[in-house]
Amino acid sequence: MLLCIDCGNTNTVFSVWDGTTFLCTLRTATEHQRTADQYFVWFSTLMAHRKIAIDIDACIISSTVPRVVFNLRVLCDRYFGCRPLVVGKPDCLLPAPPRVDQGTQVGPDRLVNAAGAFDRHGGDLVVVDFGTATTFDVVDADGAYIGGVISPGVNLSLEALHMAAAALPHVDVSMPEAVIGKNTVACMQSGVFWGYIGLVEGICARIRTEFGRPMKIIGTGGLTPLFAQATDVFDWVEDDLTMHGLTVIHAFNKENG
């Protein structure tokens, strides 16, 4: 079985792929000081709780936090007896290499999203990922990542608003009943929710105009279903796109490595 690990700035996700389906998906907070032994205790305990045998023989890692990669490598070597593929490293091949400015280092999560989206939907895509940052990844006709947009994430924006304006409270992200808020919390929720709807619709429209041909829009990330309720900009909403992309990249390396 293949263990797919996606380490983001906020959460780290482990998914176990048996070649046909994901048997389970487990999520933990990203902490760079967590050791390989701690990862295994957490992982093995939850696998036992779900009554899934640990039969891992291959691993692939995508991480936007470089400091955690060492301990994840040790985890794979010590407990699963395999050398993991790490997306973004020279020995990890991509189905279609990115076409960006020379010297630019593309985030592994963006490369993985491009691979997963192209495998499912073909080319000429925009992948909108609601994570710590909200990213827009442009995928060309041949599946290559060719650039995109990075904007502050929804929760990051709320936190910045609270930190910069002491009188404003913490609020949850939710779809408000009306655009015009009648109290402080409702005003903040409306500003964030409808502000991000406007951001996504506006940026996608500008990308399409600049790209010059029809494009499909894919939404992914935990908040996508919430925002998808209020806009028809998304052609598809994918909750497992990153993990699917990791299986695609692993299969490509297995065939071509």
Side-chain angles (χ1 to χ4, degrees):
M1 293 191 291
L2 172 67
L3 175 61
C4 300
I5 304 175
D6 173 40
C7 180
N9 291 294
T10 304
N11 292 316
T12 298
V13 181
F14 284 47
S15 286
V16 178
W17 173 255
D18 69 355
T20 303
T21 188
F22 288 109
L23 300 180
C24 70
T25 296
L26 310 172
R27 186 179 300 267
T28 186
T30 297
E31 297 176 359
H32 69 267
Q33 69 271 27
R34 185 169 292 167
T35 66
D37 300 329
Q38 289 173 315
Y39 276 119
F40 184 73
V41 169
W42 166 79
F43 177 73
S44 60
T45 300
L46 289 177
M47 289 286 281
H49 176 73
R50 297 186 179 214
K51 297 180 173 57
I52 300 173
I54 299 177
D55 189 21
I56 307 297
D57 56 14
C59 300
I60 183 168
I61 300 168
S62 168
S63 178
T64 58
V65 186
R67 295 175 69 184
V68 306
V69 173
F70 173 78
N71 282 320
L72 290 173
R73 283 183 180 273
V74 174
L75 167 73
C76 298
D77 177 64
R78 180 179 297 167
Y79 289 103
F80 308 130
C82 63
R83 183 173 183 269
L85 277 172
V86 180
V87 179
K89 298 300 183 183
D91 61 340
C92 182
L93 306 176
L94 297 172
R99 292 193 290 273
V100 293
D101 291 344
Q102 188 173 2
T104 299
Q105 187 170 358
V106 181
D109 54 332
R110 310 185 81 178
L111 299 172
V112 171
N113 282 346
F118 179 75
D119 184 69
R120 284 181 170 171
H121 305 291
D124 296 340
L125 306 173
V126 181
V127 181
V128 184
D129 189 348
F130 291 91
T132 305
T134 300
T135 58
F136 299 75
D137 303 324
V138 180
V139 183
D140 211 346
D142 63 349
Y145 170 86
I146 59 171
V149 176
I150 301 175
S151 61
V154 180
N155 288 310
L156 192 63
S157 296
L158 282 170
E159 184 64 25
L161 192 61
H162 171 71
M163 294 291 290
L168 296 180
H170 283 287
V171 298
D172 295 327
V173 183
S174 63
M175 183 175 178
E177 295 181 2
V179 176
I180 302 172
K182 301 295 186 181
N183 56 68
T184 301
V185 170
C187 289
M188 292 175 67
Q189 288 176 329
S190 182
V192 169
F193 184 85
W194 294 112
Y196 269 85
I197 290 292
L199 179 139
V200 170
E201 291 178 341
I203 289 180
C204 287
R206 288 180 178 274
I207 289 174
R208 278 173 160 158
T209 299
E210 189 173 293
F211 197 69
R213 57 181 185 263
M215 305 182 79
K216 292 160 283 188
I217 311 295
I218 316 299
T220 191
L223 290 173
T224 310
L226 173 66
F227 287 103
Q229 297 175 50
T231 178
D232 59 1
V233 70
F234 298 115
D235 293 291
W236 291 279
V237 171
E238 306 268 7
D239 62 353
D240 65 343
L241 184 65
T242 303
M243 289 301 167
H244 177 67
L246 286 171
T247 68
V248 170
I249 292 173
H250 179 267
F252 182 80
N253 278 265
K254 191 174 181 179
E255 294 171 4
N256 298 276

